[in-house]
Amino acid sequence: MSVTSAMATAKERKTRTRTKRVSNRPSIIVSKMLPNLIDLLPGTESLVCPDCETWCPITGHDGRTPKLVPHHTSRARTPQARRCSGSNRRVQIDLTIPQWHQQLADAIKETSSRRATNVLRKPKVAVAPAVTQITPRPLSPETARTAYQTHITQCPTCTARARCTERARLAETVARLIRQEPRRQQVRAILARERARFDRAYAAQAAKDRAAEWAKQAETKVLRSALAKKAGTLTEELNNTCRIRPANTVSEFRGHALSLEPLRIAT
């Protein structure tokens, strides 16, 4: 839509105006507004108009009657603009610049404290197995000997002449494990040999199964090829067969849909 001269257009909001008109509406009290809706810095005094909710400069702040400058409800150079009813409304500045700064800092601190913090995910701890699911680790002579030496260095009762019952038990355990170690080595060797034999047998059987599967696939492929070739040959023979109809026989082409008229070919 084109803008014509008959339409009202929003103008720039000047900081200082020459008009002496004052609105009869109640004054705007700065201390009752939010600190982020006010700007009291020298040279940029302004606030958000309560009526149109747009930033509007304050004129006459150096004199006795500070008020909002005349302004429109929309931004500058907007067509079909309307004069805001908050124009020339008195402003009661009952805050100093330090007080305004303090309120603004408190508001920023309170807002930052309300912001959501980063969620720290708790690490998932693995579920401990049940007692019946725990596999005991076999005790070796080296482990028993280490426990025996640790007990000697840490036990206050064990000295050169005195020995506690725990030391005697550990010594007996070490001696028993040393005696049983050759037999355990034989058992471990037998288990390792049986495991290796089982692995070799499993690999051989898997190779045989794989070879049989490949042979079966090859046989199926050859059979399919032979059947396809034979079917093609039979079809070819039937197509090339020329049969002579005996005399005084009925044709296989009969029925109510068969035309009895001679075939006429247009030339």
Side-chain angles (χ1 to χ4, degrees), residues 8-254:
T9 305
K11 299 180 180 180
E12 294 285 347
R13 301 176 184 179
K14 299 181 180 180
T15 306
R16 297 178 181 275
T17 57
R18 296 178 180 272
T19 178
K20 295 182 180 180
R21 296 178 181 178
V22 178
S23 176
N24 56 359
R25 299 183 59 188
S27 302
I28 300 174
I29 302 176
V30 173
S31 60
K32 294 183 179 181
M33 297 182 63
L34 296 177
N36 60 328
L37 303 180
I38 312 166
D39 186 4
L40 297 181
L41 294 178
T44 60
E45 294 86 351
S46 58
L47 55 81
V48 174
C49 178
D51 298 309
C52 60
E53 297 182 353
T54 57
W55 283 94
C56 182
I58 301 174
T59 184
H61 50 83
D62 295 335
R64 295 182 179 179
T65 57
K67 59 182 179 179
L68 295 181
V69 299
H71 59 280
H72 295 86
T73 56
S74 54
R75 295 187 177 184
R77 293 180 296 277
T78 302
Q80 295 182 345
R82 182 173 59 85
R83 185 71 173 268
C84 179
S85 59
S87 300
N88 299 321
R89 189 174 176 181
R90 291 186 181 88
V91 178
Q92 184 177 349
I93 304 177
D94 55 349
L95 283 179
T96 61
I97 295 179
Q99 292 175 350
W100 170 64
H101 280 169
Q102 185 62 37
Q103 290 185 3
L104 191 61
D106 295 341
I108 293 174
K109 185 183 298 183
E110 182 181 357
T111 304
S112 61
S113 64
R114 291 199 304 264
R115 292 177 182 173
T117 56
N118 296 329
V119 179
L120 301 178
R121 301 291 182 183
K122 292 184 179 180
K124 295 183 179 180
V125 181
V127 180
V131 178
T132 56
Q133 297 176 347
I134 298 176
T135 304
R137 185 177 180 182
L139 189 63
S140 62
E142 292 77 10
T143 307
R145 188 180 296 106
T146 302
Y148 177 73
Q149 294 176 355
T150 304
H151 175 76
I152 293 175
T153 56
Q154 296 180 357
C155 182
T157 307
C158 296
T159 57
R161 297 181 181 180
R163 294 184 180 183
C164 66
T165 57
E166 183 66 18
R167 180 176 177 180
R169 188 185 65 80
L170 291 175
E172 182 181 356
T173 303
V174 172
R176 177 170 54 81
L177 292 175
I178 291 175
R179 289 194 307 268
Q180 296 176 354
E181 185 61 22
R183 178 60 181 171
R184 292 187 177 184
Q185 290 181 357
Q186 293 178 2
V187 173
R188 286 195 291 267
I190 294 172
L191 292 177
R193 187 165 57 251
E194 290 297 324
R195 181 64 183 179
R197 184 182 64 80
F198 175 78
D199 291 342
R200 289 194 300 270
Y202 182 80
Q205 186 64 31
K208 290 181 181 180
D209 295 343
R210 194 180 303 108
E213 186 67 24
W214 277 105
K216 184 178 179 181
Q217 293 290 340
E219 184 180 355
T220 304
K221 186 176 181 180
V222 172
L223 182 60
R224 288 180 179 177
S225 178
L227 291 176
K229 185 176 181 181
K230 185 177 180 180
T233 305
L234 292 175
T235 305
E236 211 172 300
E237 290 178 358
L238 291 175
N239 291 335
N240 296 332
T241 300
C242 181
R243 295 180 298 171
I244 300 175
R245 183 179 304 282
N248 300 325
T249 59
V250 181
S251 173
E252 65 273 13
F253 298 101
R254 58 179 178 270

